[in-house]
């Protein structure tokens, strides 16, 4: 198994994760994000919420009734960027 999956399997109680894929090329579109989350959920069954950052765009994925649904949210600003990095 790739290292990422081994780490996910070591976290069986993980319910939420936040990923920044800004540097990925090409940047993942919504269908690819869903595939990534479905793959992660196989190895980490407790996962219920995933936030994916693509540049300044925040996409929140939530598991509802066995279906992953997404909500695009407001962009992060310079102030909020510095808050989460130094907390």
């Amino acid at each position: 198994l790739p290292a990422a999956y081994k780490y996910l399997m070591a976290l069986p109680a993980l319910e939420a994760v936040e990923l920044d894929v800004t540097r990925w090329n090409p940047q993942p579109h919504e269908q690819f994000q869903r595939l990534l989350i479905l793959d992660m959920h196989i190895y980490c069954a407790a996962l219920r919420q995933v936030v994916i950052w693509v540049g300044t765009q925040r996409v929140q994925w939530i598991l509802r009734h066995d279906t992953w649904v997404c909500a695009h949210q407001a962009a992060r600003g310079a102030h909020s960027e510095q808050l989460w990095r130094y907390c």
Side-chain angles (χ1 to χ4, degrees):
L1 287 175
Y5 297 124
K6 289 180 183 178
Y7 292 125
L8 286 174
M9 290 171 51
L11 300 168
L14 182 68
E15 294 181 8
V17 68
E18 198 161 325
L19 307 170
D20 188 339
V21 297
T22 300
R23 295 184 183 189
W24 288 16
N25 190 11
Q27 291 188 339
H29 52 78
E30 192 172 303
Q31 291 84 4
F32 182 76
Q33 291 176 22
R34 183 185 308 271
L35 288 173
L36 177 64
I37 293 166
L38 288 170
D39 202 32
M40 289 174 58
H41 193 246
I42 290 170
Y43 295 96
C44 195
L47 194 61
R48 298 291 178 262
Q49 178 180 339
V50 178
V51 173
I52 297 180
W53 287 98
V54 182
T56 59
Q57 182 180 19
R58 181 179 194 262
V59 183
Q60 182 178 22
W61 291 86
I62 298 174
L63 185 62
R64 288 195 184 137
H65 309 291
D66 295 327
T67 302
W68 286 96
V69 294
C70 74
H72 295 265
Q73 298 178 341
R76 61 182 166 195
H79 179 70
S80 63
E81 176 77 10
Q82 288 190 359
L83 280 177
W84 76 267
R85 288 190 185 269
Y86 298 109
C87 290

